[in-house]
């Protein structure tokens, strides 16, 4: 029988793993951090509540999310704007499909709503800190470049944006606009898009994170009529899925689809959902300009809370239930879009009409003199 000191390791593998892990912390791409569940690399979608909904406090790299929206609103497009703006601030390569090259970032999606980084939220010592980020004053030019980080300041993971202001893009190469070129009917309009994305992934360094943004997929305003043919669009989504699997740590994708044009009852939309890793549906509440705003709190617990603007249905989450158990919560979810936030929270029915105390949040826990018979 032989004896060995406890302080002496069996082999040098443990020390090698520890050194590798310490070096790995310094090689994380800005805007990427490990998942608290299984350690896989994740990045922020630009909306902290959506990051929490995905289960890994962010979108796992190498995955895609399909945002479906019912109606004529643009809440789904706003989520894609958050997603693109977060990538620009983090120094990622943002590819925007179906749009032309514009000088100002507010015209990226052809709308009048613009984006600006107003506050920065990051985790430090298990506490959420919020730091105001005014325009660049008394800062060196290098501090404003995307991807540049001050070693004395914790690296931010998710930012808050102001939809009424404009995001200043210091590096024009951070945005790659890929318009849909007119092609003959017998050819796919997505071939050139895929070729451009593959060239970017093969040319740029492997440490560069790519964000593929596809707003309003198959919308007649940006795509030719034959683009909605299953042999074209499904092959395109197949290819995008193959690229995500080929580069699992270099690219993430977010797509929006108008359900008014392509309902979930059609076979085409069903196949598009199957080819996506995550599927989230936004169902805005109906609103009439003539009738004006409703008199009740409309889903808010009290009158002081903001009124939700629609329901959120989670049909599938990417790699959330991989470890078994759970997956999708059974609670009803609603979303609130305001000037500086997009929040997803549990939905509760409003108080009964005429119950003023419940609408004001009063009357809870007060004693009553009414006899209760059993």
């Amino acid at each position: 029988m032989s004896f060995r000191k406890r302080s002496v390791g069996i082999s040098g593998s443990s020390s090698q793993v520890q050194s590798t892990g310490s070096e790995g912390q310094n090689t994380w791409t800005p805007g990427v951090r490990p998942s608290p569940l299984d350690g896989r690399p994740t990045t922020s979608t630009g909306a902290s509540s959506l990051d929490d909904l995905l289960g890994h406090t962010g979108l796992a790299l190498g995955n895609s999310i399909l945002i479906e929206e019912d109606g004529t609103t643009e809440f789904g497009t706003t989520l894609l704007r958050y997603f693109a703006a977060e990538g620009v601030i983090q120094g990622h390569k943002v590819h925007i499909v179906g749009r032309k090259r514009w000088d100002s970032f507010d015209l990226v999606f052809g709308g009048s709503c613009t984006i600006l980084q107003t506050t920065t939220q990051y985790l430090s010592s298990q506490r959420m800190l919020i730091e105001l980020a005014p325009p660049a004053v008394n800062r060196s030019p290098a501090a404003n470049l995307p991807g540049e980080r001050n070693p004395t300041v914790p690296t931010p993971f998710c930012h808050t944006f102001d939809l009424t202001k404009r995001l200043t893009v210091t590096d024009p190469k951070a945005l790659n606009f890929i318009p849909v070129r007119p092609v003959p009917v017998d050819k796919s309009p997505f071939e050139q898009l895929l070729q451009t994305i593959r060239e970017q992934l093969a040319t740029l360094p492997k440490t560069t994170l790519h964000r593929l943004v596809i707003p309003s997929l198959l919308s007649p305003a940006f795509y030719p009529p034959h683009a909605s043919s299953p042999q074209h669009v499904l092959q395109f989504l197949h290819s995008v899925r193959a690229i995500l699997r080929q580069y699992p740590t270099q690219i993430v994708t977010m797509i929006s689809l108008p359900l008014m044009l392509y309902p979930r009852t059609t076979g085409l939309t069903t196949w598009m959902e199957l080819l996506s890793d995550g599927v989230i549906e936004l169902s805005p509440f109906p609103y009439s300009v003539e009738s004006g705003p409703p008199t009740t709190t409309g889903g808010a617990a009290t009158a002081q809370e903001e009124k939700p603007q629609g329901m959120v249905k989670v049909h599938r989450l990417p790699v959330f239930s991989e470890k078994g158990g759970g997956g999708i919560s059974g609670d009803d979810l609603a979303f609130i879009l305001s000037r500086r936030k997009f929040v997803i929270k549990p939905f509760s029915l409003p108080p009964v009409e005429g119950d003023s105390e419940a609408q004001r949040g009063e009357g809870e826990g007060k004693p009553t003199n009414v006899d209760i018979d059993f």
Side-chain angles (χ1 to χ4, degrees), residues 181-191 224-227 231-232:
R181 306 291 183 183
V183 295
V185 181
D186 57 340
K187 293 185 178 180
S188 174
F190 302 103
E191 293 181 359
H226 66 280
Q231 61 181 352
H232 295 326

Side-chain angles (χ1 to χ4, degrees), residues 325-371:
I328 301 176
S329 175
D331 299 335
D332 294 332
L333 301 175
F335 67 89
I336 300 174
L337 176 62
S338 61
R339 175 182 173 182
R340 295 185 178 181
K341 64 180 180 179
F342 187 97
V343 180
I344 299 176
K345 66 175 187 178
F347 176 78
S348 58
L349 293 176
V352 181
E353 284 285 351
D355 191 355
S356 58
E357 293 184 355
Q359 294 181 8
R360 293 193 304 266
E362 301 174 355
E364 297 180 357
K366 290 184 178 180
T368 176
N369 296 326
V370 180
D371 295 334

Side-chain angles (χ1 to χ4, degrees), residues 61-64 239-249 251 275-277 319:
L61 302 187
N63 289 271
S64 62
S239 302
V240 171
R241 189 179 181 89
I243 292 175
L244 292 171
R245 299 302 181 265
Q246 184 179 358
Y247 304 92
T249 60
I251 185 172
L275 294 174
S276 303
D277 297 309
V319 300

Side-chain angles (χ1 to χ4, degrees), residues 114-137:
T114 56
I115 306 174
L116 174 69
Q117 177 191 3
T118 54
T119 59
T120 301
Q121 298 180 350
Y122 54 88
L123 289 171
S124 176
S125 303
Q126 300 180 354
R127 295 179 61 185
M128 181 67 73
L129 304 179
I130 301 178
E131 177 189 8
L132 294 180
V137 179

